[in-house]
Amino acid sequence: MSKGYKAPGRRAYEQDKPLFQIMDEGGDDSPTHPVFAENREVREGARVQPLPEDFEPDSRYIQFLQLHHGIPPEFTLAQLPDFKLYWLETGEGRKAWQNRFKNHVIYQWRRQQSEGGRESHRSTAEKLTDTSWSDAYRIDLDED
């Protein structure tokens, strides 16, 4: 097969080789990205496992949520029971439970912020029977 275009300072693209093989070969002029390094360490905690019964968010994640997303620690900790209830019931395994919890908190925070003044504490029945919107539209049927 023919070789493709060779950009200055780069090796020619080889159409008969899989992309991962081309990337692994590297070359003197192309540094190897750490993701593709051959001797990557696999962390001990990088296994898929169900949520531990005693799961607690790491304080670093609570601080991160407060500093970078403005989420109060009280709100973060208030999300823990629902998070644990759901994941303990499903029994599904994940690799990074701290990160999963962080993303859950961010989602719930944004959801609460977008609901803002919508009185989300009211029941569905109260919301459906609310007629306060009609107060602005008073029709006077008593004409003298």
Side-chain angles (χ1 to χ4, degrees), residues 51-68:
L51 181 70
E53 294 266 346
D54 61 346
F55 174 82
E56 293 289 328
D58 189 294
S59 62
R60 292 176 297 166
Y61 284 83
I62 296 171
Q63 290 172 353
F64 174 86
L65 290 167
Q66 186 175 18
L67 292 172
H68 296 283

Side-chain angles (χ1 to χ4, degrees), residues 9 14-15 17 26 39 43 52-53 67 83 97 115 124 140:
E14 300 170 87
Q15 295 178 354
K17 290 186 179 179
N39 295 326
R43 295 184 324 140
E53 294 266 346
L67 292 172
F83 179 81
W97 284 112
E115 289 176 358
T124 303
D140 189 14

Side-chain angles (χ1 to χ4, degrees), residues 18-66:
L19 181 58
F20 68 87
Q21 187 177 358
I22 294 169
M23 293 178 79
D24 284 344
E25 289 176 357
D28 295 337
D29 60 346
S30 60
T32 303
H33 190 279
V35 171
F36 301 111
E38 289 181 28
N39 295 326
R40 283 185 27 202
E41 285 186 37
V42 177
R43 295 184 324 140
E44 183 63 30
R47 286 179 270 155
V48 172
Q49 56 189 352
L51 181 70
E53 294 266 346
D54 61 346
F55 174 82
E56 293 289 328
D58 189 294
S59 62
R60 292 176 297 166
Y61 284 83
I62 296 171
Q63 290 172 353
F64 174 86
L65 290 167
Q66 186 175 18

Side-chain angles (χ1 to χ4, degrees), residues 52-119:
E53 294 266 346
D54 61 346
F55 174 82
E56 293 289 328
D58 189 294
S59 62
R60 292 176 297 166
Y61 284 83
I62 296 171
Q63 290 172 353
F64 174 86
L65 290 167
Q66 186 175 18
L67 292 172
H68 296 283
H69 295 277
I71 302 174
E74 299 80 28
F75 181 87
T76 299
L77 294 173
Q79 304 311 306
L80 186 59
D82 284 339
F83 179 81
K84 286 178 75 168
L85 187 65
Y86 175 81
W87 288 106
L88 289 172
E89 184 176 332
T90 65
E92 291 182 39
R94 295 287 186 263
K95 288 184 180 181
W97 284 112
Q98 295 290 336
N99 194 50
R100 174 67 64 157
F101 180 71
K102 173 188 67 82
N103 291 338
H104 171 78
V105 171
I106 293 169
Y107 173 79
Q108 294 299 333
W109 177 255
R110 288 179 180 164
R111 184 173 158 207
Q112 181 200 24
Q113 297 302 304
S114 70
E115 289 176 358
R118 296 185 192 166
E119 299 180 54

